[in-house]
Amino acid sequence: MAEAYVPELGWALGDGQEHGSDPAWDAAEAEALYERLEREVIPEFYSRNAKGIPTAWIARMRESMARLTPRFSANRAVCEYTEQHYLRRRSPAKRAWPIKAQSASKWWTGGTVWNRNGLRCTSAQ
């Protein structure tokens, strides 16, 4: 399964397996793609309310951004990398007091990293 796939947020194509260059499989996937576009994606995009707004499409995009952006954002990646590779780690029982990071403009307190640019990372424990 694709790592960002959530059924109510988008559409999946294929079965998640590699099939090499099998022309029969390529044809089946192409047919499935066109079928999905014709029956689900395009109607949702072009279905508009009285003001011409695609409300179902907008709702799906908003929910997708709200739920997936925190998992696939540069902020999350920087926070995770900082915590895993740059900061000294203590056992969970002893992480309640602040420790200095590599510069005076950053510090780490019980799972939260702060710096002068306002980066705030809260570890998921």
Side-chain angles (χ1 to χ4, degrees), residues 76 79-80 83 89 95 110-112 121-125:
R76 189 227 23 104
C79 291
E80 185 177 295
E83 188 167 293
R89 300 290 303 244
R95 289 176 58 184
T112 302
C121 305
T122 305
S123 60
Q125 295 181 5

Side-chain angles (χ1 to χ4, degrees), residues 82-83 85-90 95 97 99-101 108:
T82 300
E83 188 167 293
H85 300 288
Y86 284 107
L87 300 176
R88 291 182 295 142
R89 300 290 303 244
R90 296 178 54 106
R95 289 176 58 184
W97 57 277
I99 60 174
K100 288 285 186 185
W108 182 64

